[in-house]
Amino acid sequence: MTGQSDQIFGGQFTGRRVLVTGHSGFKGGWISTWLNRLGAEVTGIALPPEPGPSFYQACALDRTMDSRFADIRDPAALARATEGLDAEVVFHMAAQPLVRKSYREPAETFATNVQGTVNVLEAVRRMPSLKAVVVITSDKCYDNREWLWGYRENDPLGGKDPYSASKAATELVAQSYAHTFFSDTSGPQLSTVRAGNVFGGGDWGEDRLIPDIIRAWHDGQPVTIRNPDSIRPWQHVLEPVAGYLLLAQKILSDGQRFAGAWNFGPDVSGTVNVRDLADMMWRAWGAGAPGFRFPDESATAPHEAGILRLDSTKAQTRLGWRPRLELSQAIELTTDWYKAHAAGDDMGKVTQSQITVYQDLMSGTSCDQTELAAQ
């Protein structure tokens, strides 16, 4: 499904063999859909989707890409899944992505996020045609000191909770491989990318604000909002995914100049507390919107960052990337997606339509905000 707007990444993905780990997840599903639209030959390796609704099932990704299931913690299973695969570009997204789950299952979190990354890099670095590897980590990889200003790529890594620590460790693994196995200027290059709190249609992950709201709406129950005063950099999933694709494009065309770490965070206007985002979601939903409860969890809740912001100056100046959606627009796209899903619409077409809207914004042929909300 290509066209003039799909040349926005310089046509670099047309006919490319691309591997996406974690394609059965939320972000992995969106980037796989976009890559398929760009004309790439997409292969995905991941665990099967969790029981219940998922982006993977809603958009029938098994019919649009080469979908393979394996646990990245198991090198033998991963070797079988990659047998015969010679990817040119790899987006490594497979991970245990939840902070609160990491408290319940710390060993699994480290095994998946750290050793799993080692296993993936071992599997792909021997692919003869490999040119670019993009390892997706998290804004929580930074040693969070609750600063008011954004963290830059050269700020110290760290993590108080198992999830954050595992993402910092993933960054160290990626840095080691970049220096040891991806240092040849004429060979494949490796980058890591860090984004903020990402939301959008098709996310049903546990203990995440937007999915919790959607489940409450579906069940006719008020949603419990934890840590309402915590400040987060909120962004629609298409914002960082566009950055990942743009970075891979630059690596393909210019090589080592674009290796290293990159932040893809929202503007200051997209950095609001949990309470304000919930209120924006409620107002965007309209009739039948779910209610909210704000219990006092301060005495029992596990630690989560209070303030966390990213400085994306590097991506804006060197890649030409910038956020395209106002927070209100991102919320409109998200509520529209879930309403369409509840109505039984063709979610593959709905998702493609939203990608078209975003590509138009990137190419400067966008409509105004009122027209965007009506898409």
Side-chain angles (χ1 to χ4, degrees):
M1 187 175 182
T2 58
Q4 183 176 359
S5 65
D6 298 312
Q7 298 302 305
I8 204 159
F9 298 108
Q12 282 284 3
F13 297 105
T14 303
R16 292 276 188 192
R17 297 183 301 279
V18 181
L19 170 63
V20 177
T21 71
H23 71 291
S24 64
F26 166 55
K27 286 174 73 175
W30 273 94
I31 198 171
S32 296
T33 300
W34 202 343
L35 284 163
N36 181 63
R37 177 192 179 98
L38 294 169
E41 299 176 11
V42 188
T43 299
I45 295 176
L47 292 173
E50 295 284 338
S54 67
F55 183 95
Y56 178 87
Q57 293 172 332
C59 295
L61 292 188
D62 59 326
R63 298 204 295 264
T64 61
M65 62 185 294
D66 179 2
S67 178
R68 309 180 185 188
F69 295 131
D71 189 334
I72 64 170
R73 294 174 297 178
D74 183 344
L78 187 59
R80 290 191 295 271
T82 56
E83 186 175 0
L85 182 61
D86 184 20
E88 299 168 84
V89 182
V90 174
F91 293 97
H92 173 43
M93 292 186 167
Q96 194 295 94
L98 303 172
V99 174
R100 288 163 73 93
K101 184 177 180 180
S102 77
Y103 281 96
R104 300 193 305 269
E105 301 175 1
E108 177 186 334
T109 299
F110 282 104
T112 301
N113 294 352
V114 184
Q115 187 59 49
T117 297
V118 172
N119 294 340
V120 168
L121 293 178
E122 280 294 291
V124 305
R125 73 183 180 90
R126 296 183 176 89
M127 294 180 179
S129 300
L130 185 66
K131 295 178 175 61
V133 180
V134 179
V135 177
I136 287 77
T137 66
S138 168
D139 59 348
K140 296 175 182 64
C141 69
Y142 291 106
D143 180 15
N144 188 5
R145 303 177 185 179
E146 306 287 343
W147 286 335
L148 294 176
W149 52 88
Y151 292 89
R152 296 172 297 178
E153 289 84 352
N154 58 354
D155 280 323
L157 302 172
K160 296 180 177 65
D161 59 88
Y163 171 78
S164 300
S166 76
K167 286 301 186 179
T170 300
E171 288 279 347
L172 293 175
V173 165
Q175 289 177 21
S176 174
Y177 269 74
H179 288 297
T180 306
F181 304 111
F182 295 90
S183 59
D184 186 346
T185 56
S186 62
Q189 301 299 316
L190 186 150
S191 293
T192 62
V193 293
R194 306 151 182 181
N197 281 45
V198 173
F199 65 89
D203 185 7
W204 278 278
E206 65 173 293
D207 284 335
R208 278 192 254 191
L209 179 61
I210 301 299
D212 285 348
I213 291 173
I214 298 305
R215 280 188 286 268
W217 168 75
H218 183 269
D219 296 337
Q221 299 292 329
V223 60
T224 299
I225 303 296
R226 69 178 191 274
N227 302 319
D229 297 320
S230 294
I231 298 170
R232 297 285 186 269
W234 306 97
Q235 58 192 154
H236 191 273
V237 62
L238 287 173
E239 302 273 36
V241 165
Y244 306 163
L245 292 170
L246 181 59
L247 175 60
Q249 174 204 338
K250 295 292 188 180
I251 294 174
L252 289 169
S253 60
D254 294 299
Q256 196 174 52
R257 289 182 55 214
F258 294 95
W262 300 83
N263 286 342
F264 295 99
D267 290 331
V268 174
S269 61
T271 306
V272 301
N273 67 35
V274 171
R275 188 189 304 272
D276 288 344
L277 187 79
D279 181 65
M280 294 177 71
M281 188 82 174
W282 181 83
R283 285 187 279 112
W285 197 273
F292 300 99
R293 294 185 296 144
F294 300 94
D296 181 11
E297 292 187 329
S298 58
T300 59
H303 174 270
E304 294 188 60
I307 299 175
L308 185 58
R309 293 188 174 100
L310 291 176
D311 183 332
S312 303
T313 302
K314 179 182 175 182
Q316 293 179 13
T317 56
R318 294 191 58 198
L319 297 177
W321 174 89
R322 63 181 176 84
R324 305 286 175 168
L325 296 167
E326 296 179 11
L327 186 55
S328 59
Q329 293 175 309
I331 291 173
E332 289 281 355
L333 287 174
T334 302
T335 55
D336 287 349
W337 197 101
Y338 284 110
K339 287 180 179 179
H341 182 267
D345 293 350
D346 183 330
M347 297 315 298
K349 291 182 179 179
V350 171
T351 301
Q352 291 287 353
S353 176
Q354 294 197 350
I355 292 174
T356 296
V357 168
Y358 193 85
Q359 286 192 157
D360 287 345
L361 288 169
M362 292 181 70
S363 63
T365 60
S366 63
C367 47
D368 64 25
Q369 185 171 350
T370 302
E371 292 170 327
L372 175 67
Q375 290 284 335

